[in-house]
Amino acid sequence: MKTNVIKIDSHIPIPVNTRSVGMCKYNFMGSMEVGDSFEINNSHQDFTPMGVRSYAYQYRRHNKNSNFKFAVRVTSGNSRKPRAVRVWRIQ
């Protein structure tokens, strides 16, 4: 009887985790003061409205000791396909 066999490899290096690399481009948000805001629209090649919106909501969850809180509003388009968003630091 034949079965599928999984080959076990040894000494294969683990690739660098690229998941957090995308978040690094939004590190500038950590330098914002309460009341500061910025707008991202589809004309930015490196930043997208959906990406910055997602990061703003994840920031507090990943930085539990942080007092940072952001508000994000769609300024152009709709909530499912925003063409532009504005982000405020509110805390």
Side-chain angles (χ1 to χ4, degrees):
M1 180 171 132
K2 288 192 172 186
T3 62
N4 289 338
V5 178
I6 296 174
K7 179 184 170 209
I8 297 175
D9 297 318
S10 297
H11 308 294
I12 304 296
I14 300 172
V16 174
N17 183 359
T18 58
R19 184 175 183 187
S20 63
V21 171
M23 298 301 185
C24 292
K25 67 183 177 182
Y26 298 109
N27 281 345
F28 69 91
M29 292 173 65
S31 65
M32 293 176 69
E33 301 291 330
V34 174
D36 288 351
S37 71
F38 64 93
E39 185 174 63
I40 296 290
N41 58 41
N42 285 329
S43 67
H44 295 88
Q45 290 182 343
D46 296 332
F47 303 97
T48 63
M50 291 291 282
V52 74
R53 181 173 70 175
S54 176
Y55 180 75
Y57 288 121
Q58 292 177 23
Y59 188 92
R60 187 167 183 144
R61 191 178 69 182
H62 291 292
N63 298 289
K64 294 184 189 282
N65 295 330
S66 173
N67 290 331
F68 280 57
K69 190 172 182 182
F70 298 98
V72 181
R73 299 294 183 268
V74 175
T75 56
S76 178
N78 60 46
S79 62
R80 291 188 181 225
K81 287 190 124 183
R83 289 191 301 273
V85 296
R86 180 164 289 278
V87 180
W88 289 265
R89 179 172 172 207
I90 58 174
Q91 182 178 354

